[in-house]
Amino acid sequence: MTIRVMLVDDQVLLRTGFRMVLAAQPDMEVVAEAGDGVEALQVLQSTAVDVVLMDVRMPKLDGVETTRRICSAPDAPKVLILTTFDLDEYAFSGLKAGASGFMLKDVPPGELLAAIRAVHSGDAVVAPSTTRRLLDRFAPMLPDTGQEPRHKELDRLTDREREVMVLVAQGLSNSEIAGRLVLSEATVKTHVGRILTKLGLRDRVQVVVLAYETGLVRAGGHG
């Protein structure tokens, strides 16, 4: 199955470089490009896309607002934010807007390709340690929820699911969570799936953001 990718960046040279890397992959195809958010939204109206590589700083409409509009649509493509800076408030905003993760623009090609496949599969967070560092930095900007999470949706989770959610938010992979809780990886994957369903979340990145917003996990990655 071919992953249909769209490149959204105001730097033509950068898009060309990414296109060359993706074109060499048997399971990927660049089906569209855009130089700003407005153009991206127009193109998506008539082009089927699975994953959007989204720059954040663009003219006319920035990547964060573009991501928000894309992700609010039914059957929306997954969005992978590309940023120049490791700890970028725009990337944090992009995650909150619905992006499935973010990568640095100078990421090695192999990591970028793995990220695209992971985002497309929907069962892996992209660069979880980087995502956690980003949230650690900007968590103080979130409203203080006190010692106990106040998000009523979390009450839907079992104790085990809440335990798994904390570890997901700390950036652990399914295999790492399985080792920590002495469970099979398949069981962990089932728990993660139930968490996504019960909380109405798209992917693991949104689990991380929600865990911070509700106070389930504190800055520094501790539950």
Side-chain angles (χ1 to χ4, degrees):
M1 178 179 170
T2 301
I3 302 174
R4 298 166 295 188
V5 180
M6 179 179 189
L7 306 176
V8 184
D9 197 298
D10 60 341
Q11 298 180 49
V12 177
L13 193 60
L14 202 69
R15 295 205 310 267
T16 301
F18 282 138
R19 186 172 63 245
M20 289 174 63
V21 171
L22 300 183
Q25 304 305 305
D27 62 338
M28 296 184 193
E29 179 185 4
V30 177
V31 295
E33 294 185 33
D36 60 68
V38 173
E39 184 183 359
L41 294 173
Q42 291 173 342
V43 172
L44 282 171
Q45 290 178 358
S46 58
T47 307
V49 174
D50 298 312
V51 177
V52 179
L53 295 187
M54 179 73 70
D55 185 23
V56 282
R57 304 186 187 195
M58 297 182 296
K60 297 184 181 178
L61 192 66
D62 66 40
V64 174
E65 180 57 29
T66 305
T67 296
R68 184 175 291 109
R69 296 188 192 184
I70 290 173
C71 294
S72 65
D75 299 320
K78 299 294 178 67
V79 177
L80 181 57
I81 296 282
L82 294 172
T83 178
T84 308
F85 306 101
D86 191 353
L87 293 175
D88 187 334
E89 68 273 16
Y90 289 95
F92 175 69
S93 299
L95 293 179
K96 292 199 65 174
S100 295
F102 83 98
M103 301 291 289
L104 299 181
K105 286 186 177 180
D106 60 358
V107 65
E111 288 186 27
L112 176 66
L113 297 171
I116 292 171
R117 293 184 181 106
V119 167
H120 181 250
S121 71
D123 64 2
V125 86
V126 178
S129 61
T130 310
T131 301
R132 193 180 74 216
R133 286 205 311 278
L134 185 81
L135 286 165
D136 283 347
R137 172 167 172 175
F138 294 106
M141 298 178 188
L142 298 173
D144 185 10
T145 56
Q147 291 302 312
E148 293 298 321
R150 296 177 184 172
H151 202 295
K152 291 183 178 179
E153 290 181 12
L154 295 184
D155 293 340
R156 302 174 190 169
L157 303 181
T158 64
D159 289 343
R160 175 63 89 186
E161 287 165 353
R162 188 178 291 231
E163 197 174 7
V164 170
M165 182 173 176
V166 168
L167 296 177
V168 169
Q170 291 176 359
L172 274 65
S173 66
N174 283 356
S175 60
E176 290 169 336
I177 294 171
R180 181 77 64 89
L181 300 180
V182 196
L183 299 170
S184 72
E185 197 168 338
T187 299
V188 172
K189 192 168 184 178
T190 298
H191 282 312
V192 173
R194 287 176 179 161
I195 291 167
L196 294 175
T197 300
K198 286 184 178 182
L199 301 182
L201 304 175
R202 279 171 56 115
D203 52 40
R204 294 168 72 109
V205 170
Q206 293 196 338
V207 172
V208 177
V209 173
L210 182 62
Y212 273 79
E213 287 184 321
T214 58
L216 188 63
V217 169
R218 297 268 164 210
H222 302 293

